[in-house]
Amino acid sequence: MRPHIEDYALIGDHQTAALVGRDGSIDWLCLPRFDSPACFAALLGGEENGHWRIAPKTAEGPETAEGPEGAAEHRTTRAYRPGSLVLDTEWETPDGSVRVTDFMPQRDRAPDVVRIVEGLSGRVTLRGTLRLRFDYGSVVPWMRRADGHRVAVAGPDSAWLRSEPDVHTWGEDFGTHSEFTVEAGETVAFVLTWHPSHEKRPPLIDPHESLRHSLEDWQAWADRCRYEGPHREAVLRSLLTLKALIFAPTGGIVAAPTSSLPEEIGGVRNWDYRYCWLRDSTLTLGALLSAGYLDEAEAWRDWLLRAAAGDPADLQIMYGLAGERRLPEQELDWLSGYRDSRPVRTGNDAAHQLQLDVYGEVVDSLALARREGLKAQPHAWRLQLALLDFLEETWREPDEGLWEVRGPRRHFVHSKVMVWVAADRTVRAMEEDPELPGDIERLRKMRDAVHREVCERGYDAERGTFTQYYGSSELDAALLLLPRVGFLPPDDPRVLGTVDAVRDELTYKGFLRRYSADETVVDGLPGQEGAFLVCSFWLADALHMTGRKKEARELFERLVALRNDVGLLAEEYDPVAGRQLGNFPQAFSHIGLVGTALTLFGTADEGGGG
């Protein structure tokens, strides 16, 4: 049985990331970028699809809550070094205790994975197994020895493994194995370095110096966090996770570092999230700015402008790390899927959907950037007007909505509301700065027309709630954002009724689903999914805004408690099984945690700081 999703921790170098299990195995790593083919893909298959495990010899066997089955008794604890993405896993065995420190140094040119084994007490024998499998676990490389390294080569990929001091390694069962013993105070450091196979091996790094520099860099970044309210550690860990999901060369932020972790165990709702979604833009920008991370916010804004440039009719809902537009979806049939959840997908065809809300999110992000004083980009206003010109011609069309449903297009209320946001923010900017070009009266008329239509066609007066789409009886958690974006004031009876209806009808054992998936009414897919975590954060925000502050804080406390032992959240949660679901860790969930903390505690009169 594979580890649970929450059994993993994240390490990364601002260009890619790896998942490390509680059993000491790295089961997912894409090199050299987040969206590159994985060289460790055991997460979505088996050990034969690539992994790298270092653990005490006594800890062999499947991991359980109490320890590995059939092995000598041992205990495992793990934690990040404060303010960093450096992971310590400590093993207590009958023979002694040992620590494995995992991290990826901020790279100069080549990506490295460093694993430092340190004896803490007694005398512990450890085993290492490295199975490199390029191209998502499908390619077994040729292995050789060179210059004190084990070298793997296959096609465009090459990886070099070395240890300091040198330990004995041997090949067996298409893997590289090692066995070594450490006593208290002794260390053995392993370094795995990837580079294109046609290039020379990059310069060697000092693993111990790299650890020191990595800690200094991460902790210096963490020290800039302005938030000082309750649950500061949870907020900071979420911000560190968001930082780890930023592709440093471009400023783009991936939704998650993984693909195809299921929203339902054994189901088909398995998607590739290693791309940058425009829908996350305003909330991401707001979280970074509010916490004091202006450089990252500006880099994200600039990425957004580059990605959105061009014909507004061609605006996509998501892009590659550098703004790439082609993200073809395909299925990897040689992978069995996480706990037999198939298909395993790479790419994402939702990139070509029409989602009108992204236009509003882009414009709202640009408005937020101006309001917070980010350095202006001269072409941003021209782009904004072009987006509004497109919306003026298109906003009455149905779309797929922010949840990227695979069913028919509909007139989703949230999409129309975000069209209103685009017009509203543009009108406000022109009112504040009369020198800005544009036809303000035309945009006012458009804004009013959208508002009027949503209130007439998207509101069910009999039930006292807005609905998911025009003429439906379904609800949608995205309706909770109406007061947040300013479409209606929080005390409007229509808002109060909507918040109550969404809470009552979409709550699933204490947490919120995105929408009803019964009988595949909306999304065109079989099966169900778990509670969508960011939606529960939105509910806490809405409860706070509508005056139910105690209820909001109680919900926030329950959500914070769902984080795994190192503070990470997936996309969804199964409250029946008590397990996390979906791609992991999920930027949207951590953005929700930061945003809700700022909403509940971020001002002095609400008892917080920052």
Side-chain angles (χ1 to χ4, degrees):
M1 183 68 73
R2 301 302 304 156
H4 298 293
I5 290 172
E6 63 269 20
D7 287 336
Y8 287 100
L10 182 77
I11 59 174
D13 65 358
H14 308 307
Q15 296 189 45
T16 190
L19 293 190
V20 187
R22 291 179 59 88
D23 61 354
S25 182
I26 299 178
D27 288 346
W28 182 255
L29 174 61
C30 301
L31 292 172
R33 307 191 338 169
F34 289 107
D35 58 353
S36 298
C39 64
F40 298 142
L43 179 71
L44 300 179
E47 291 184 348
E48 69 277 7
N49 298 119
H51 75 117
W52 183 15
R53 187 174 192 228
I54 297 177
K57 185 177 180 179
T58 58
E60 293 180 335
E63 188 76 11
T64 67
E66 294 76 26
E69 297 172 356
E73 182 181 354
H74 79 284
R75 186 166 65 89
T76 307
T77 58
R78 61 181 183 170
Y80 286 114
R81 302 272 179 101
S84 81
L85 214 68
V86 174
L87 178 70
D88 287 328
T89 303
E90 295 188 5
W91 307 75
E92 293 185 10
T93 77
D95 302 318
S97 58
V98 65
R99 175 189 300 127
V100 179
T101 298
D102 292 317
F103 67 101
M104 295 185 69
Q106 291 85 327
R107 72 176 75 169
D108 178 20
R109 185 178 64 172
D112 299 286
V113 181
V114 180
R115 314 194 75 179
I116 299 176
V117 182
E118 179 183 0
L120 301 178
S121 67
R123 194 168 186 269
V124 180
T125 299
L126 295 98
R127 281 186 176 174
T129 300
L130 171 68
R131 289 188 176 91
L132 282 160
R133 298 292 185 268
F134 297 119
D135 195 19
Y136 297 107
S138 67
V139 176
V140 180
W142 181 264
M143 300 292 296
R144 61 184 174 88
R145 292 183 184 271
D147 300 329
H149 290 70
R150 282 277 183 166
V151 184
V153 177
D157 299 293
S158 180
W160 295 60
L161 173 69
R162 80 177 197 276
S163 65
E164 295 183 6
D166 187 42
V167 300
H168 174 61
T169 62
W170 69 94
E172 183 181 334
D173 297 330
F174 298 100
T176 298
H177 302 266
S178 61
E179 185 171 309
F180 57 98
T181 300
V182 294
E183 298 183 2
E186 294 180 340
T187 63
V188 177
F190 294 86
V191 181
L192 181 69
T193 304
W194 179 96
H195 68 94
S197 59
H198 64 277
E199 295 181 0
K200 293 182 179 180
R201 185 199 69 194
L204 302 182
I205 66 167
D206 182 317
H208 301 285
E209 279 296 298
S210 294
L211 174 59
R212 183 173 64 82
H213 288 308
S214 289
L215 284 170
E216 289 175 353
D217 289 347
W218 278 111
Q219 289 167 354
W221 191 87
D223 287 344
R224 291 162 46 200
C225 178
R226 292 198 310 223
Y227 179 78
E228 297 294 342
H231 294 290
R232 187 180 190 278
E233 182 277 328
V235 170
L236 180 57
R237 178 52 53 192
S238 289
L239 289 165
L240 287 162
T241 304
L242 292 176
K243 174 67 171 175
L245 299 181
I246 295 175
F247 184 64
T250 67
I253 304 176
V254 296
T258 58
S259 174
S260 299
L261 286 177
E263 297 170 13
E264 178 185 36
I265 300 299
V268 302
R269 298 166 183 261
N270 317 317
W271 314 108
D272 192 346
Y273 274 19
R274 297 171 299 154
Y275 307 112
C276 307
W277 265 256
L278 300 192
R279 75 177 183 211
D280 305 1
S281 58
T282 308
L283 296 175
T284 303
L285 198 63
L288 291 171
L289 287 169
S290 297
Y293 293 105
L294 302 186
D295 291 343
E296 288 75 14
E298 188 167 308
W300 173 238
R301 188 277 314 270
D302 291 347
W303 178 91
L304 188 65
L305 286 171
R306 294 192 301 271
D311 186 345
D314 295 331
L315 186 71
Q316 296 185 182
I317 67 162
M318 74 179 83
Y319 294 86
L321 305 178
E324 298 92 343
R325 291 172 174 263
R326 297 187 184 278
L327 312 173
E329 187 175 302
Q330 58 183 322
E331 297 180 3
L332 308 183
D333 57 10
W334 61 87
L335 290 173
S336 60
Y338 176 82
R339 300 200 175 198
D340 295 321
S341 302
R342 297 183 182 180
V344 171
R345 296 182 173 94
T346 63
N348 201 313
D349 282 346
H352 304 295
Q353 290 186 349
L354 175 65
Q355 295 183 23
L356 293 174
D357 67 292
V358 301
Y359 293 84
E361 281 139 8
V362 170
V363 172
D364 202 18
S365 295
L366 298 180
L368 177 60
R370 282 194 299 271
R371 187 167 68 247
E372 294 294 329
L374 291 186
K375 183 180 178 181
Q377 294 286 3
H379 61 287
W381 184 252
R382 294 197 303 274
L383 171 64
Q384 186 165 331
L385 290 180
L387 296 177
L388 266 296
D389 288 342
F390 173 78
L391 282 178
E392 189 174 25
E393 299 296 325
T394 315
W395 74 266
R396 289 184 172 85
E397 299 294 324
D399 73 339
E400 276 92 359
L402 87 161
W403 301 128
E404 298 157 18
V405 299
R406 302 277 170 131
R409 290 182 176 179
R410 291 180 168 90
H411 291 282
F412 286 102
V413 169
H414 174 262
S415 295
K416 308 298 187 186
V417 168
M418 294 309 296
V419 171
W420 175 88
V421 167
D424 177 72
R425 304 308 189 257
T426 307
V427 168
R428 289 189 185 190
M430 296 169 74
E431 289 172 343
E432 293 168 1
D433 183 359
E435 298 298 318
L436 289 173
D439 188 339
I440 189 171
E441 287 305 321
R442 180 169 58 87
L443 291 174
R444 282 190 180 124
K445 289 179 181 178
M446 173 187 167
R447 179 182 65 177
D448 295 344
V450 176
H451 198 282
R452 184 168 52 252
E453 180 177 293
V454 170
C455 292
E456 291 174 355
R457 301 184 61 191
Y459 183 71
D460 184 339
E462 193 170 310
R463 295 168 62 206
T465 180
F466 284 93
T467 59
Q468 185 176 46
Y469 54 91
Y470 292 173
S472 75
S473 60
E474 302 293 326
L475 296 179
D476 191 318
L479 298 170
L480 297 169
L481 298 174
L482 266 66
R484 182 170 185 157
V485 301
F487 185 80
L488 287 171
D491 60 354
D492 188 291
R494 292 167 292 183
V495 168
L496 296 172
T498 300
V499 173
D500 286 341
V502 168
R503 180 189 56 186
D504 293 344
E505 296 187 27
L506 295 185
T507 291
Y508 175 45
K509 297 188 180 300
F511 303 98
L512 215 62
R513 283 180 160 151
R514 292 186 287 181
Y515 48 79
S516 172
D518 295 337
E519 306 298 329
T520 64
V521 170
V522 176
D523 60 23
L525 294 167
Q528 295 282 336
E529 63 178 23
F532 206 80
L533 292 177
V534 76
C535 296
S536 294
F537 285 114
W538 292 349
L539 177 58
D541 295 340
L543 290 169
H544 179 86
M545 293 180 71
T546 55
R548 288 165 280 189
K549 297 181 179 181
K550 181 175 182 292
E551 191 176 347
R553 294 189 183 199
E554 290 173 350
L555 175 56
F556 181 71
E557 296 283 347
R558 295 204 308 274
L559 288 163
V560 169
L562 298 183
R563 302 181 309 142
N564 74 354
D565 59 316
V566 290
L568 302 181
L569 290 170
E571 180 183 33
E572 300 183 5
Y573 180 71
D574 180 350
V576 175
R579 298 294 179 193
Q580 298 197 30
L581 291 171
N583 284 302
F584 175 88
Q586 176 79 0
F588 222 9
S589 298
H590 286 282
I591 292 166
L593 189 153
V594 174
T596 300
L598 291 166
T599 296
L600 300 187
F601 313 114
T603 58
D605 62 328
E606 294 300 336

PDB file of all heavy atoms in Angstrom, residues 58-81:
ATOM      1  N   THR A  58      16.531  -1.554   9.816  1.00  0.00           N
ATOM      2  CA  THR A  58      15.448  -2.137  10.609  1.00  0.00           C
ATOM      3  C   THR A  58      14.085  -1.583  10.230  1.00  0.00           C
ATOM      4  O   THR A  58      13.066  -2.077  10.710  1.00  0.00           O
ATOM      5  CB  THR A  58      15.671  -1.866  12.104  1.00  0.00           C
ATOM      6  OG1 THR A  58      15.757  -0.452  12.318  1.00  0.00           O
ATOM      7  CG2 THR A  58      16.932  -2.540  12.587  1.00  0.00           C
ATOM      8  N   ALA A  59      14.050  -0.546   9.405  1.00  0.00           N
ATOM      9  CA  ALA A  59      12.778   0.102   9.066  1.00  0.00           C
ATOM     10  C   ALA A  59      12.260  -0.323   7.712  1.00  0.00           C
ATOM     11  O   ALA A  59      11.439   0.352   7.119  1.00  0.00           O
ATOM     12  CB  ALA A  59      12.948   1.622   9.087  1.00  0.00           C
ATOM     13  N   GLU A  60      12.745  -1.449   7.184  1.00  0.00           N
ATOM     14  CA  GLU A  60      12.252  -1.903   5.899  1.00  0.00           C
ATOM     15  C   GLU A  60      10.855  -2.475   6.054  1.00  0.00           C
ATOM     16  O   GLU A  60      10.511  -3.084   7.058  1.00  0.00           O
ATOM     17  CB  GLU A  60      13.191  -2.952   5.314  1.00  0.00           C
ATOM     18  CG  GLU A  60      14.551  -2.365   4.942  1.00  0.00           C
ATOM     19  CD  GLU A  60      15.471  -3.412   4.355  1.00  0.00           C
ATOM     20  OE1 GLU A  60      15.269  -4.608   4.657  1.00  0.00           O
ATOM     21  OE2 GLU A  60      16.390  -3.043   3.613  1.00  0.00           O
ATOM     22  N   GLY A  61      10.044  -2.284   5.022  1.00  0.00           N
ATOM     23  CA  GLY A  61       8.680  -2.780   5.046  1.00  0.00           C
ATOM     24  C   GLY A  61       7.705  -1.650   4.908  1.00  0.00           C
ATOM     25  O   GLY A  61       8.048  -0.478   5.033  1.00  0.00           O
ATOM     26  N   PRO A  62       6.421  -1.950   4.630  1.00  0.00           N
ATOM     27  CA  PRO A  62       5.414  -0.896   4.463  1.00  0.00           C
ATOM     28  C   PRO A  62       5.248  -0.086   5.736  1.00  0.00           C
ATOM     29  O   PRO A  62       5.241  -0.620   6.844  1.00  0.00           O
ATOM     30  CB  PRO A  62       4.134  -1.691   4.141  1.00  0.00           C
ATOM     31  CG  PRO A  62       4.615  -3.042   3.688  1.00  0.00           C
ATOM     32  CD  PRO A  62       5.886  -3.289   4.428  1.00  0.00           C
ATOM     33  N   GLU A  63       5.111   1.211   5.577  1.00  0.00           N
ATOM     34  CA  GLU A  63       4.973   2.108   6.726  1.00  0.00           C
ATOM     35  C   GLU A  63       3.558   2.051   7.281  1.00  0.00           C
ATOM     36  O   GLU A  63       2.577   1.988   6.537  1.00  0.00           O
ATOM     37  CB  GLU A  63       5.301   3.531   6.298  1.00  0.00           C
ATOM     38  CG  GLU A  63       5.382   4.524   7.426  1.00  0.00           C
ATOM     39  CD  GLU A  63       6.679   4.396   8.222  1.00  0.00           C
ATOM     40  OE1 GLU A  63       7.590   3.693   7.774  1.00  0.00           O
ATOM     41  OE2 GLU A  63       6.745   5.007   9.290  1.00  0.00           O
ATOM     42  N   THR A  64       3.435   2.056   8.596  1.00  0.00           N
ATOM     43  CA  THR A  64       2.136   2.161   9.246  1.00  0.00           C
ATOM     44  C   THR A  64       2.202   3.296  10.242  1.00  0.00           C
ATOM     45  O   THR A  64       3.233   3.907  10.462  1.00  0.00           O
ATOM     46  CB  THR A  64       1.766   0.860   9.983  1.00  0.00           C
ATOM     47  OG1 THR A  64       2.657   0.698  11.077  1.00  0.00           O
ATOM     48  CG2 THR A  64       1.859  -0.347   9.065  1.00  0.00           C
ATOM     49  N   ALA A  65       1.068   3.577  10.884  1.00  0.00           N
ATOM     50  CA  ALA A  65       1.039   4.675  11.852  1.00  0.00           C
ATOM     51  C   ALA A  65       1.993   4.407  13.013  1.00  0.00           C
ATOM     52  O   ALA A  65       2.577   5.323  13.578  1.00  0.00           O
ATOM     53  CB  ALA A  65      -0.379   4.878  12.366  1.00  0.00           C
ATOM     54  N   GLU A  66       2.138   3.132  13.410  1.00  0.00           N
ATOM     55  CA  GLU A  66       2.978   2.807  14.551  1.00  0.00           C
ATOM     56  C   GLU A  66       4.395   2.439  14.138  1.00  0.00           C
ATOM     57  O   GLU A  66       5.302   2.384  14.955  1.00  0.00           O
ATOM     58  CB  GLU A  66       2.378   1.626  15.333  1.00  0.00           C
ATOM     59  CG  GLU A  66       1.049   1.942  15.984  1.00  0.00           C
ATOM     60  CD  GLU A  66      -0.096   1.965  14.983  1.00  0.00           C
ATOM     61  OE1 GLU A  66      -0.012   1.297  13.923  1.00  0.00           O
ATOM     62  OE2 GLU A  66      -1.075   2.684  15.251  1.00  0.00           O
ATOM     63  N   GLY A  67       4.600   2.148  12.882  1.00  0.00           N
ATOM     64  CA  GLY A  67       5.905   1.708  12.407  1.00  0.00           C
ATOM     65  C   GLY A  67       5.713   0.740  11.268  1.00  0.00           C
ATOM     66  O   GLY A  67       4.586   0.405  10.908  1.00  0.00           O
ATOM     67  N   PRO A  68       6.793   0.276  10.654  1.00  0.00           N
ATOM     68  CA  PRO A  68       6.670  -0.630   9.518  1.00  0.00           C
ATOM     69  C   PRO A  68       6.259  -2.022   9.949  1.00  0.00           C
ATOM     70  O   PRO A  68       6.743  -2.539  10.949  1.00  0.00           O
ATOM     71  CB  PRO A  68       8.072  -0.617   8.910  1.00  0.00           C
ATOM     72  CG  PRO A  68       8.959  -0.291  10.060  1.00  0.00           C
ATOM     73  CD  PRO A  68       8.174   0.601  10.979  1.00  0.00           C
ATOM     74  N   GLU A  69       5.379  -2.626   9.173  1.00  0.00           N
ATOM     75  CA  GLU A  69       4.925  -3.974   9.492  1.00  0.00           C
ATOM     76  C   GLU A  69       6.069  -4.970   9.330  1.00  0.00           C
ATOM     77  O   GLU A  69       6.836  -4.916   8.380  1.00  0.00           O
ATOM     78  CB  GLU A  69       3.762  -4.333   8.567  1.00  0.00           C
ATOM     79  CG  GLU A  69       2.541  -3.429   8.758  1.00  0.00           C
ATOM     80  CD  GLU A  69       1.496  -3.686   7.691  1.00  0.00           C
ATOM     81  OE1 GLU A  69       1.774  -4.499   6.791  1.00  0.00           O
ATOM     82  OE2 GLU A  69       0.426  -3.086   7.764  1.00  0.00           O
ATOM     83  N   GLY A  70       6.181  -5.877  10.254  1.00  0.00           N
ATOM     84  CA  GLY A  70       7.155  -6.936  10.137  1.00  0.00           C
ATOM     85  C   GLY A  70       8.582  -6.506  10.392  1.00  0.00           C
ATOM     86  O   GLY A  70       9.514  -7.261  10.161  1.00  0.00           O
ATOM     87  N   ALA A  71       8.812  -5.291  10.862  1.00  0.00           N
ATOM     88  CA  ALA A  71      10.164  -4.816  11.125  1.00  0.00           C
ATOM     89  C   ALA A  71      10.327  -4.591  12.615  1.00  0.00           C
ATOM     90  O   ALA A  71       9.358  -4.535  13.377  1.00  0.00           O
ATOM     91  CB  ALA A  71      10.418  -3.519  10.363  1.00  0.00           C
ATOM     92  N   ALA A  72      11.585  -4.463  13.018  1.00  0.00           N
ATOM     93  CA  ALA A  72      11.843  -4.148  14.419  1.00  0.00           C
ATOM     94  C   ALA A  72      11.210  -2.815  14.766  1.00  0.00           C
ATOM     95  O   ALA A  72      11.079  -1.927  13.931  1.00  0.00           O
ATOM     96  CB  ALA A  72      13.353  -4.108  14.661  1.00  0.00           C
ATOM     97  N   GLU A  73      10.807  -2.651  15.998  1.00  0.00           N
ATOM     98  CA  GLU A  73      10.099  -1.449  16.411  1.00  0.00           C
ATOM     99  C   GLU A  73      10.977  -0.208  16.210  1.00  0.00           C
ATOM    100  O   GLU A  73      12.161  -0.203  16.536  1.00  0.00           O
ATOM    101  CB  GLU A  73       9.703  -1.572  17.886  1.00  0.00           C
ATOM    102  CG  GLU A  73       8.905  -0.372  18.379  1.00  0.00           C
ATOM    103  CD  GLU A  73       8.547  -0.505  19.845  1.00  0.00           C
ATOM    104  OE1 GLU A  73       8.829  -1.575  20.421  1.00  0.00           O
ATOM    105  OE2 GLU A  73       8.010   0.463  20.393  1.00  0.00           O
ATOM    106  N   HIS A  74      10.393   0.828  15.659  1.00  0.00           N
ATOM    107  CA  HIS A  74      11.096   2.086  15.509  1.00  0.00           C
ATOM    108  C   HIS A  74      10.073   3.210  15.510  1.00  0.00           C
ATOM    109  O   HIS A  74       8.873   2.977  15.369  1.00  0.00           O
ATOM    110  CB  HIS A  74      11.924   2.128  14.221  1.00  0.00           C
ATOM    111  CG  HIS A  74      11.094   2.407  13.006  1.00  0.00           C
ATOM    112  ND1 HIS A  74      10.294   1.456  12.423  1.00  0.00           N
ATOM    113  CD2 HIS A  74      10.929   3.546  12.293  1.00  0.00           C
ATOM    114  CE1 HIS A  74       9.676   1.992  11.382  1.00  0.00           C
ATOM    115  NE2 HIS A  74      10.026   3.253  11.274  1.00  0.00           N
ATOM    116  N   ARG A  75      10.552   4.422  15.659  1.00  0.00           N
ATOM    117  CA  ARG A  75       9.674   5.584  15.658  1.00  0.00           C
ATOM    118  C   ARG A  75      10.280   6.651  14.746  1.00  0.00           C
ATOM    119  O   ARG A  75      11.490   6.876  14.755  1.00  0.00           O
ATOM    120  CB  ARG A  75       9.500   6.132  17.080  1.00  0.00           C
ATOM    121  CG  ARG A  75       8.466   7.261  17.191  1.00  0.00           C
ATOM    122  CD  ARG A  75       8.121   7.501  18.655  1.00  0.00           C
ATOM    123  NE  ARG A  75       9.276   7.990  19.397  1.00  0.00           N
ATOM    124  CZ  ARG A  75       9.578   9.292  19.501  1.00  0.00           C
ATOM    125  NH1 ARG A  75       8.832  10.212  18.918  1.00  0.00           N
ATOM    126  NH2 ARG A  75      10.630   9.684  20.206  1.00  0.00           N
ATOM    127  N   THR A  76       9.428   7.289  13.973  1.00  0.00           N
ATOM    128  CA  THR A  76       9.877   8.310  13.037  1.00  0.00           C
ATOM    129  C   THR A  76       9.215   9.634  13.375  1.00  0.00           C
ATOM    130  O   THR A  76       8.003   9.692  13.571  1.00  0.00           O
ATOM    131  CB  THR A  76       9.513   7.923  11.591  1.00  0.00           C
ATOM    132  OG1 THR A  76       9.994   6.618  11.318  1.00  0.00           O
ATOM    133  CG2 THR A  76      10.110   8.911  10.603  1.00  0.00           C
ATOM    134  N   THR A  77       9.993  10.684  13.467  1.00  0.00           N
ATOM    135  CA  THR A  77       9.468  12.035  13.601  1.00  0.00           C
ATOM    136  C   THR A  77      10.145  12.894  12.543  1.00  0.00           C
ATOM    137  O   THR A  77      11.261  12.605  12.106  1.00  0.00           O
ATOM    138  CB  THR A  77       9.754  12.623  14.997  1.00  0.00           C
ATOM    139  OG1 THR A  77      11.159  12.624  15.227  1.00  0.00           O
ATOM    140  CG2 THR A  77       9.059  11.825  16.084  1.00  0.00           C
ATOM    141  N   ARG A  78       9.477  13.952  12.149  1.00  0.00           N
ATOM    142  CA  ARG A  78      10.070  14.826  11.133  1.00  0.00           C
ATOM    143  C   ARG A  78       9.556  16.242  11.318  1.00  0.00           C
ATOM    144  O   ARG A  78       8.476  16.467  11.881  1.00  0.00           O
ATOM    145  CB  ARG A  78       9.760  14.331   9.721  1.00  0.00           C
ATOM    146  CG  ARG A  78       8.270  14.284   9.415  1.00  0.00           C
ATOM    147  CD  ARG A  78       7.985  13.781   8.025  1.00  0.00           C
ATOM    148  NE  ARG A  78       6.542  13.834   7.783  1.00  0.00           N
ATOM    149  CZ  ARG A  78       5.961  13.652   6.611  1.00  0.00           C
ATOM    150  NH1 ARG A  78       6.701  13.385   5.553  1.00  0.00           N
ATOM    151  NH2 ARG A  78       4.652  13.723   6.471  1.00  0.00           N
ATOM    152  N   ALA A  79      10.333  17.175  10.825  1.00  0.00           N
ATOM    153  CA  ALA A  79       9.964  18.587  10.917  1.00  0.00           C
ATOM    154  C   ALA A  79      10.873  19.378   9.988  1.00  0.00           C
ATOM    155  O   ALA A  79      12.010  18.973   9.696  1.00  0.00           O
ATOM    156  CB  ALA A  79      10.102  19.111  12.347  1.00  0.00           C
ATOM    157  N   TYR A  80      10.360  20.509   9.528  1.00  0.00           N
ATOM    158  CA  TYR A  80      11.204  21.444   8.809  1.00  0.00           C
ATOM    159  C   TYR A  80      12.048  22.244   9.804  1.00  0.00           C
ATOM    160  O   TYR A  80      11.590  22.552  10.916  1.00  0.00           O
ATOM    161  CB  TYR A  80      10.358  22.426   7.995  1.00  0.00           C
ATOM    162  CG  TYR A  80       9.724  21.832   6.759  1.00  0.00           C
ATOM    163  CD1 TYR A  80       8.340  21.707   6.655  1.00  0.00           C
ATOM    164  CD2 TYR A  80      10.503  21.432   5.675  1.00  0.00           C
ATOM    165  CE1 TYR A  80       7.749  21.178   5.512  1.00  0.00           C
ATOM    166  CE2 TYR A  80       9.922  20.900   4.532  1.00  0.00           C
ATOM    167  CZ  TYR A  80       8.551  20.775   4.456  1.00  0.00           C
ATOM    168  OH  TYR A  80       7.976  20.253   3.331  1.00  0.00           O
ATOM    169  N   ARG A  81      13.268  22.587   9.409  1.00  0.00           N
ATOM    170  CA  ARG A  81      14.007  23.570  10.192  1.00  0.00           C
ATOM    171  C   ARG A  81      13.199  24.872  10.176  1.00  0.00           C
ATOM    172  O   ARG A  81      12.604  25.229   9.144  1.00  0.00           O
ATOM    173  CB  ARG A  81      15.397  23.809   9.587  1.00  0.00           C
ATOM    174  CG  ARG A  81      16.265  22.566   9.462  1.00  0.00           C
ATOM    175  CD  ARG A  81      17.078  22.269  10.684  1.00  0.00           C
ATOM    176  NE  ARG A  81      17.870  21.040  10.492  1.00  0.00           N
ATOM    177  CZ  ARG A  81      19.171  21.030  10.190  1.00  0.00           C
ATOM    178  NH1 ARG A  81      19.836  22.180  10.051  1.00  0.00           N
ATOM    179  NH2 ARG A  81      19.806  19.876  10.040  1.00  0.00           N
TER     180      ARG A  81
END
